[in-house]
Protein backbone atom coordinates (compact mmCIF):
# COMPACT_ATOMS: atom_id res chain seq x y z
CA UNK A 1 0.00 0.00 0.00
CA UNK A 2 1.43 3.40 -0.89
CA UNK A 3 1.61 6.10 1.77
CA UNK A 4 -1.64 7.97 2.37
CA UNK A 5 -1.05 11.74 2.22
CA UNK A 6 -3.36 14.19 3.96
CA UNK A 7 -2.41 17.84 3.36
CA UNK A 8 -3.33 20.09 6.27
CA UNK A 9 -5.48 23.01 5.15
CA UNK A 10 -4.13 25.08 8.05
CA UNK A 11 -1.16 26.03 5.87
CA UNK A 12 -3.27 26.99 2.83
CA UNK A 13 -3.67 30.58 1.61
CA UNK A 14 -7.03 31.58 3.07
CA UNK A 15 -7.35 34.50 0.67
CA UNK A 16 -7.13 31.95 -2.12
CA UNK A 17 -8.71 28.96 -0.47
CA UNK A 18 -10.71 27.87 -3.51
CA UNK A 19 -7.54 27.91 -5.65
CA UNK A 20 -5.72 25.79 -3.05
CA UNK A 21 -8.58 23.29 -2.84
CA UNK A 22 -8.63 22.91 -6.63
CA UNK A 23 -4.87 22.31 -6.46
CA UNK A 24 -5.50 19.53 -3.92
CA UNK A 25 -8.25 18.12 -6.16
CA UNK A 26 -5.81 17.87 -9.07
CA UNK A 27 -3.06 16.43 -6.88
CA UNK A 28 -2.43 12.90 -5.68
CA UNK A 29 -3.49 13.89 -2.14
CA UNK A 30 -5.65 11.16 -0.62
CA UNK A 31 -7.51 13.17 2.02
CA UNK A 32 -7.79 16.75 3.30
CA UNK A 33 -6.83 17.22 6.95
CA UNK A 34 -8.80 19.92 8.83
CA UNK A 35 -7.41 21.37 12.06
CA UNK A 36 -10.03 22.82 14.38
CA UNK A 37 -8.71 24.62 17.51
CA UNK A 38 -10.44 26.19 20.50
CA UNK A 39 -7.84 28.35 22.29
CA UNK A 40 -8.38 26.21 25.43
CA UNK A 41 -6.97 22.77 24.73
CA UNK A 42 -4.39 24.38 22.45
CA UNK A 43 -3.08 27.96 22.62
CA UNK A 44 -4.46 29.01 19.24
CA UNK A 45 -7.66 29.35 17.23
CA UNK A 46 -8.09 28.23 13.63
CA UNK A 47 -11.23 27.89 11.55
CA UNK A 48 -14.59 26.33 12.35
CA UNK A 49 -17.61 24.77 10.69
CA UNK A 50 -18.37 27.92 8.67
CA UNK A 51 -15.27 27.04 6.65
CA UNK A 52 -15.29 23.24 6.78
CA UNK A 53 -18.93 23.09 5.69
CA UNK A 54 -17.95 24.69 2.38
CA UNK A 55 -15.63 21.89 1.37
CA UNK A 56 -18.04 19.16 0.43
CA UNK A 57 -19.23 21.31 -2.48
CA UNK A 58 -15.77 21.73 -3.96
CA UNK A 59 -13.87 18.51 -3.26
CA UNK A 60 -14.40 14.79 -3.56
CA UNK A 61 -11.41 14.06 -1.30
CA UNK A 62 -12.32 12.44 2.01
CA UNK A 63 -12.16 14.90 4.92
CA UNK A 64 -10.18 14.11 8.06
CA UNK A 65 -11.21 16.43 10.89
CA UNK A 66 -8.69 16.81 13.73
CA UNK A 67 -10.39 18.45 16.70
CA UNK A 68 -7.96 20.17 19.07
CA UNK A 69 -10.78 21.17 21.39
CA UNK A 70 -12.15 20.24 24.80
CA UNK A 71 -15.42 18.28 24.85
CA UNK A 72 -15.27 17.21 21.19
CA UNK A 73 -18.27 14.94 21.81
CA UNK A 74 -20.47 18.05 21.68
CA UNK A 75 -19.75 18.37 17.97
CA UNK A 76 -20.24 14.90 16.44
CA UNK A 77 -23.36 16.13 14.65
CA UNK A 78 -21.61 19.18 13.19
CA UNK A 79 -18.56 17.22 12.07
CA UNK A 80 -20.77 14.59 10.43
CA UNK A 81 -22.65 17.38 8.62
CA UNK A 82 -19.40 18.54 6.98
CA UNK A 83 -19.23 15.14 5.29
CA UNK A 84 -16.12 14.14 7.24
CA UNK A 85 -14.94 10.57 6.83
CA UNK A 86 -12.74 10.65 9.96
CA UNK A 87 -13.40 12.40 13.26
CA UNK A 88 -10.16 12.67 15.20
CA UNK A 89 -10.42 13.44 18.96
CA UNK A 90 -7.62 13.87 21.49
CA UNK A 91 -7.18 11.21 24.17
CA UNK A 92 -6.21 13.95 26.65
CA UNK A 93 -9.68 15.59 26.62
CA UNK A 94 -11.91 12.49 26.70
CA UNK A 95 -12.46 10.89 30.12
CA UNK A 96 -15.16 8.75 28.47
CA UNK A 97 -13.27 7.95 25.31
CA UNK A 98 -15.06 4.67 24.65
CA UNK A 99 -18.42 6.45 24.62
CA UNK A 100 -17.14 9.21 22.30
CA UNK A 101 -15.80 6.59 19.88
CA UNK A 102 -19.22 4.90 19.78
CA UNK A 103 -20.89 8.27 19.20
CA UNK A 104 -18.60 9.01 16.26
CA UNK A 105 -19.35 5.64 14.69
CA UNK A 106 -23.04 6.16 15.39
CA UNK A 107 -22.92 9.27 13.18
CA UNK A 108 -21.49 7.22 10.32
CA UNK A 109 -17.88 8.43 10.67
CA UNK A 110 -14.66 6.54 11.31
CA UNK A 111 -13.28 7.19 14.81
CA UNK A 112 -9.65 8.19 15.27
CA UNK A 113 -7.87 9.05 18.50
CA UNK A 114 -4.97 11.50 18.70
CA UNK A 115 -2.12 11.36 21.22
CA UNK A 116 -0.02 14.36 22.25
CA UNK A 117 3.76 13.88 22.10
CA UNK A 118 4.00 13.01 25.83
CA UNK A 119 1.11 10.52 25.88
CA UNK A 120 2.31 6.91 25.62
CA UNK A 121 0.72 4.57 23.08
CA UNK A 122 0.07 2.05 25.91
CA UNK A 123 -3.01 4.08 27.00
CA UNK A 124 -4.76 2.75 23.89
CA UNK A 125 -4.41 -0.96 24.74
CA UNK A 126 -8.07 -1.39 25.62
CA UNK A 127 -9.59 0.81 22.90
CA UNK A 128 -7.38 0.06 19.90
CA UNK A 129 -9.72 -2.54 18.42
CA UNK A 130 -12.50 0.09 18.26
CA UNK A 131 -10.45 2.58 16.25
CA UNK A 132 -10.00 3.04 12.51
CA UNK A 133 -6.93 5.21 13.03
CA UNK A 134 -4.54 6.55 15.67
CA UNK A 135 -2.95 9.96 15.12
CA UNK A 136 0.42 10.47 16.80
CA UNK A 137 1.30 14.16 17.16
CA UNK A 138 4.92 14.77 16.27
CA UNK A 139 4.74 18.41 17.46
CA UNK A 140 2.77 19.98 20.29
CA UNK A 141 -0.60 20.73 18.68
CA UNK A 142 -1.69 24.29 17.98
CA UNK A 143 0.60 25.58 15.24
CA UNK A 144 1.93 24.64 11.85
CA UNK A 145 5.58 24.94 10.93
CA UNK A 146 7.10 23.40 14.09
CA UNK A 147 10.04 21.06 14.32
CA UNK A 148 9.46 17.31 14.22
CA UNK A 149 9.93 15.51 17.58
CA UNK A 150 12.20 12.51 16.88
CA UNK A 151 10.79 10.40 19.76
CA UNK A 152 7.70 9.96 17.61
CA UNK A 153 9.56 7.32 15.59
CA UNK A 154 9.75 4.97 18.59
CA UNK A 155 6.06 5.55 19.30
CA UNK A 156 5.15 4.63 15.72
CA UNK A 157 7.12 1.38 16.00
CA UNK A 158 5.56 0.49 19.38
CA UNK A 159 2.05 1.22 18.10
CA UNK A 160 2.67 -0.81 14.93
CA UNK A 161 3.64 -3.77 17.13
CA UNK A 162 0.46 -3.40 19.22
CA UNK A 163 -1.66 -3.34 16.05
CA UNK A 164 0.05 -6.35 14.48
CA UNK A 165 -0.06 -8.40 17.70
CA UNK A 166 -3.83 -7.93 17.76
CA UNK A 167 -4.26 -8.60 14.04
CA UNK A 168 -5.92 -5.19 13.53
CA UNK A 169 -6.05 -2.91 10.49
CA UNK A 170 -5.88 0.37 12.45
CA UNK A 171 -4.06 3.06 10.48
CA UNK A 172 -1.16 4.99 12.02
CA UNK A 173 -1.20 8.68 11.15
CA UNK A 174 1.47 11.23 12.05
CA UNK A 175 1.02 15.02 12.13
CA UNK A 176 3.57 17.79 12.61
CA UNK A 177 6.89 18.67 11.00
CA UNK A 178 6.45 16.13 8.22
CA UNK A 179 8.64 16.60 5.15
CA UNK A 180 10.50 14.23 2.83
CA UNK A 181 13.20 13.45 5.41
CA UNK A 182 10.99 12.92 8.46
CA UNK A 183 8.35 11.27 6.26
CA UNK A 184 10.88 8.68 5.07
CA UNK A 185 11.76 7.76 8.67
CA UNK A 186 8.08 7.63 9.67
CA UNK A 187 7.13 5.30 6.83
CA UNK A 188 10.10 3.05 7.68
CA UNK A 189 8.90 2.95 11.30
CA UNK A 190 5.40 1.90 10.21
CA UNK A 191 3.34 5.04 9.57
CA UNK A 192 0.48 4.68 7.06
CA UNK A 193 -0.77 8.28 6.82
CA UNK A 194 1.32 11.46 6.67
CA UNK A 195 -0.24 14.85 7.44
CA UNK A 196 1.76 17.77 6.09
CA UNK A 197 0.99 21.48 6.08
CA UNK A 198 3.87 23.89 5.62
CA UNK A 199 6.02 21.41 3.70
CA UNK A 200 3.34 21.19 0.99
CA UNK A 201 1.92 24.70 0.91
CA UNK A 202 5.23 26.57 1.18
CA UNK A 203 6.70 24.51 -1.64
CA UNK A 204 7.14 26.12 -5.08
CA UNK A 205 5.29 23.13 -6.51
CA UNK A 206 2.80 21.77 -3.96
CA UNK A 207 1.53 19.03 -6.30
CA UNK A 208 5.08 17.75 -6.70
CA UNK A 209 5.60 17.90 -2.92
CA UNK A 210 2.51 15.73 -2.47
CA UNK A 211 3.77 13.30 -5.13
CA UNK A 212 7.09 13.05 -3.29
CA UNK A 213 5.39 12.14 0.01
CA UNK A 214 3.13 9.61 -1.73
CA UNK A 215 6.17 7.87 -3.19
CA UNK A 216 7.79 7.28 0.23
C1 LIG B 1 -0.81 21.23 14.36
C2 LIG B 1 -1.79 20.65 13.38
C3 LIG B 1 -1.14 20.17 12.13
C4 LIG B 1 -0.42 21.24 11.37
C5 LIG B 1 0.80 20.59 10.77
O1 LIG B 1 -1.42 21.49 15.56
O2 LIG B 1 -2.48 19.55 13.95
O3 LIG B 1 -2.05 19.47 11.30
O4 LIG B 1 -1.17 21.83 10.35
O5 LIG B 1 1.58 21.57 10.21
P1 LIG B 1 3.05 21.30 9.70
O6 LIG B 1 2.99 20.20 8.69
O7 LIG B 1 3.44 22.61 9.14
O8 LIG B 1 3.86 20.91 10.91
ZN1 LIG C 1 -3.69 18.22 12.57
Amino acid sequence: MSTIVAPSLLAADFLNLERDIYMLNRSEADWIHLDIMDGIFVPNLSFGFAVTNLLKGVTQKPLDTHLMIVQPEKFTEEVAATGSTFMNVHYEVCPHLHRVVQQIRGKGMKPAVTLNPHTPVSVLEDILSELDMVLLMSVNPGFGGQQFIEQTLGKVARLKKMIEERGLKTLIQVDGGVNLQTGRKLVDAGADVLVAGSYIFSSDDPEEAIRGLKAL
Side-chain angles (χ1 to χ4, degrees), residues 121 128 134 136 155-163 172:
V121 293
L128 198 53
V134 174
L136 300 178
K155 287 176 80 172
V156 171
R158 285 193 292 281
L159 179 59
K160 189 78 176 177
K161 189 161 174 276
M162 283 168 67
I163 290 168
I172 301 178

Side-chain angles (χ1 to χ4, degrees), residues 54-73:
L54 300 171
L55 296 175
K56 58 179 178 287
V58 287
T59 187
Q60 305 296 320
K61 306 269 183 190
L63 303 178
D64 167 35
T65 301
H66 175 198
L67 294 160
M68 284 161 274
I69 65 172
V70 297
Q71 301 183 321
E73 67 278 3

